[in-house]
């Protein structure tokens, strides 16, 4: 992973950082790196995620999913970090085994998806650390019922990824289901390089060792200076730009296969850093598609954001046919890749010309090793940002508040958060 900060410097951007400010920030990065290293060494909660390239066990994952080697499709039932990491890998890498995700409880979507699946040849992975996640368990009960109605023995097509205790663990023990352990100390949004994110990839035939090797490469680059670590460079500059007013981070990959990566990044950034009135609001965009929509705001709107432009340097290209149509002949002899690269560089220059800070992130190609680098790099960047901002990176109290409110509304207990729903102020216009 390579990170170019040139268009975040104050000589180009507003807000931006001067070279002197960047050097001063680097002194704080050194202190933060020491704290992160201690957390990793002690496998403290959250910091343990940065150890996953070494602590994950790909052989155990492959063994657990081996009974599903004949699957035509894999359905992951989870929500948030229990699904987005696996989806990023599945949608980023080609496979003959289709991957689907039930990460919402929209009843019409659930019904349409289940109606479309070959249930007798689908592997179902139910993912919840606690084994009590309401959305995940509700969807699983629906899937199980649908399989029974279709004459499919759900116990032969299902495995779980969960913690040591809880409903899913008890179900696995009762029904003899294969079970993968969610690693201790790893919050869901940091779990893509664990059993949570890699089980689906294993069923799809992807190279788990290469994913982890890429992550390990990026881990080896963590250092006491942002000038030596792409991950820390990105995290530190994102933090510093937010301090100077860039409260929005627009993540804009220039590869269709990385669109879900932007969704994964949005959860990582929002849930980890949105604390105590701090944090950048992640926005999701896709190049070159959103040059024709969102770029208008990013270039000509308020200077309250940074734009992150991500691209692979290598890809399978396709030639553009020649034509004698007026005004289009210049395209002939070029490739779609040439056009996409030109769009990328034009967007970057357009933002810089308008003084809008932007950062370039590049990977070699969209493959297992480079995705491992990119995912690990963004996790490390997020942890560093949290250290610099002095927020509790690995907690999510606002999310837990909503869970308790919903459970109370469904009769799952007496929770004061549910009472707040009845206190809603209304002003209805019909």
């Amino acid at each position: 992973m390579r990170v170019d900060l040139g268009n975040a410097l104050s000589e180009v951007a507003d807000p931006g950082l001067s070279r002197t400010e960047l050097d001063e920030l680097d002194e704080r990065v050194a202190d933060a790196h020491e704290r992160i290293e201690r957390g990793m060494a002690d496998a403290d909660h959250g910091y343990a995620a940065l150890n996953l390239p070494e602590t994950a066990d790909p052989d155990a994952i492959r063994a657990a999913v081996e009974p599903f080697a004949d699957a035509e499709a894999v359905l992951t039932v989870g929500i948030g970090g229990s699904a987005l990491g696996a989806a990023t890998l599945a949608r980023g890498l080609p496979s003959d085994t289709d991957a689907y995700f039930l990460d919402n409880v929209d009843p019409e979507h659930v019904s349409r998806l289940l109606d479309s699946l070959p249930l007798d040849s689908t592997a179902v992975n139910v993912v919840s650390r606690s084994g009590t996640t309401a959305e995940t368990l509700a969807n699983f009960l629906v899937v199980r019922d649908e399989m029974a109605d279709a004459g499919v023995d759900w116990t032969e097509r299902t495995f779980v990824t969960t913690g040591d205790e809880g409903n899913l663990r008890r179900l696995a023990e009762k029904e003899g289901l294969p079970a993968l352990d969610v690693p201790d100390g790893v919050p869901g949004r940091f779990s893509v390089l664990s059993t949570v994110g890699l089980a689906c990839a294993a069923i799809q035939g992807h190279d788990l060792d290469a994913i982890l090797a890429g992550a390990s490469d990026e881990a080896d680059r963590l250092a006491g200076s942002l000038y030596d670590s792409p991950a820390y460079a990105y995290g530190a500059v994102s933090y510093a730009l937010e301090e100077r007013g860039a409260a929005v981070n627009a993540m804009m990959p220039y590869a269709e296969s990385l669109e879900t990566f932007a969704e994964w990044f949005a959860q990582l950034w929002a849930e980890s850093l949105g604390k105590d009135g701090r944090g950048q609001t992640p926005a999701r965009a896709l190049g070159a598609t959103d040059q024709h929509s969102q770029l208008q705001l990013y270039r000509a709107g308020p200077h309250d954001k940074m734009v992150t432009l991500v691209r692979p340097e290598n890809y399978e290209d396709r030639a553009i046919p020649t034509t004698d149509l007026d005004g289009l002949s210049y395209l002939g002899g070029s490739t779609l890749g040439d056009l996409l690269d030109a769009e990328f560089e034009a967007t970057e220059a357009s933002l810089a010309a308008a003084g809008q800070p932007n950062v370039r992130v590049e990977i070699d190609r969209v493959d297992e090793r480079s995705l491992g680098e990119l995912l690990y790099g963004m996790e490390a960047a997020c942890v560093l940002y949290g250290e610099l901002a002095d927020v509790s990176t690995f907690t999510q109290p606002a999310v837990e508040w909503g869970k308790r409110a919903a459970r109370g509304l469904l009769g799952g207990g007496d929770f004061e958060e549910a009472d707040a729903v009845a206190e809603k102020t209304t002003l209805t216009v019909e």
Side-chain angles (χ1 to χ4, degrees):
M1 186 175 82
R2 293 165 294 283
V3 175
D4 180 355
L5 307 176
N7 284 345
L9 297 176
S10 55
E11 59 201 62
V12 177
D14 178 23
L17 289 83
S18 70
R19 302 294 180 111
T20 299
E21 289 171 326
L22 203 56
D23 290 341
E24 291 172 351
L25 178 62
D26 197 41
E27 295 176 8
R28 296 183 59 196
V29 169
D31 292 337
H33 176 58
E34 289 184 6
R35 294 194 296 272
I36 292 169
E37 280 194 315
R38 288 196 298 271
M40 293 172 64
D42 296 338
D44 290 340
H45 179 75
Y47 299 98
L50 298 181
N51 294 329
L52 281 171
E54 307 306 323
T55 59
D57 186 350
D59 289 334
I61 296 170
R62 285 187 284 259
V65 304
E66 200 280 329
F68 310 101
D70 64 339
E72 295 179 20
V74 53
L75 174 64
T76 299
V77 184
I79 195 167
S82 295
L84 277 172
T88 297
L89 293 170
R91 291 167 183 163
L93 302 168
S95 173
D96 293 332
T97 303
D98 295 327
Y100 302 91
F101 298 86
L102 272 182
D103 58 354
N104 204 341
V105 287
D106 178 340
E108 292 186 350
H109 168 71
V110 171
S111 296
R112 284 194 298 267
L113 178 58
L114 293 180
D115 287 344
S116 72
L117 288 178
L119 294 175
D120 59 345
S121 58
T122 296
V124 177
N125 181 17
V126 191
V127 187
S128 169
R129 174 192 295 277
S130 66
T132 61
T133 309
E135 298 91 342
T136 299
L137 294 184
N139 274 335
F140 171 55
L141 293 174
V142 171
V143 171
R144 191 173 71 172
D145 190 61
E146 190 79 7
M147 284 185 152
D149 288 347
V152 177
D153 185 346
W154 66 271
T155 64
E156 295 183 356
R157 307 302 310 171
T158 302
F159 69 103
V160 303
T161 305
T162 191
D164 293 335
E165 300 177 352
N167 296 329
L168 281 183
R169 178 63 63 178
R170 290 192 292 272
L171 178 70
E173 293 170 350
K174 177 183 176 182
E175 302 292 346
L177 306 178
L180 284 166
D181 297 331
V182 175
D184 292 334
V186 179
R189 58 191 176 278
F190 288 89
S191 66
V192 60
L193 298 170
S194 76
T195 51
V196 175
L198 297 180
C200 176
I203 293 175
Q204 287 195 292
H206 298 311
D207 188 342
L208 306 191
D209 298 293
I211 294 170
L212 293 170
S216 183
D217 288 345
E218 203 58 43
D220 289 343
R221 297 186 186 103
L222 298 184
S225 171
L226 66 87
Y227 297 112
D228 296 325
S229 171
Y232 283 173
Y234 183 77
V237 167
S238 298
Y239 157 77
L241 288 175
E242 187 243 325
E243 284 272 291
R244 289 156 176 77
V248 175
N249 188 338
M251 175 59 68
M252 193 171 185
Y254 273 69
E256 198 84 20
S257 56
L258 292 178
E259 185 172 16
T260 304
F261 159 74
E263 296 183 35
W264 171 87
F265 174 85
Q267 184 197 4
L268 177 74
W269 222 242
E271 196 169 9
S272 300
L273 304 174
K275 317 278 170 64
D276 306 323
R278 298 297 308 273
Q280 281 182 320
T281 300
R284 304 197 297 266
L286 179 66
T289 301
D290 287 314
Q291 287 177 220
H292 297 267
S293 55
Q294 297 179 39
L295 183 59
Q296 176 63 40
L297 172 67
Y298 300 158
R299 187 180 195 277
H303 284 232
D304 62 350
K305 59 189 69 65
M306 65 176 283
V307 181
T308 303
L309 302 167
V310 182
R311 73 169 173 184
E313 290 195 284
N314 300 286
Y315 41 77
E316 292 185 12
D317 210 344
R318 182 158 187 156
I320 300 173
T322 58
T323 180
D324 57 4
L325 291 174
D326 289 344
L328 295 181
S329 59
Y330 74 95
L331 292 172
S334 297
T335 68
L336 292 178
D338 293 335
L339 179 56
L340 188 63
D341 285 344
E343 298 276 16
F344 178 96
E345 290 166 11
T347 297
E348 186 178 53
S350 170
L351 292 166
Q356 293 282 18
N358 59 92
V359 174
R360 177 192 290 206
V361 177
E362 292 178 315
I363 56 176
D364 287 336
R365 64 183 69 248
V366 183
D367 63 7
E368 285 95 339
R369 193 171 193 116
S370 290
L371 277 178
E373 287 185 9
L374 181 62
L375 293 165
Y376 186 94
M378 288 299 162
E379 289 182 352
C382 181
V383 174
L384 178 77
Y385 186 132
E387 295 291 329
L388 296 173
D390 194 26
V391 298
S392 180
T393 308
F394 305 114
T395 62
Q396 51 282 332
V399 175
E400 300 304 325
W401 193 100
K403 287 181 180 179
R404 291 190 294 271
R407 185 165 183 173
L409 290 172
L410 290 170
D414 185 16
F415 297 93
E416 64 180 24
E417 290 85 354
D419 297 335
V421 178
E423 299 167 3
K424 177 187 178 300
T425 299
T426 60
L427 176 59
T428 305
V429 178
E430 296 183 357

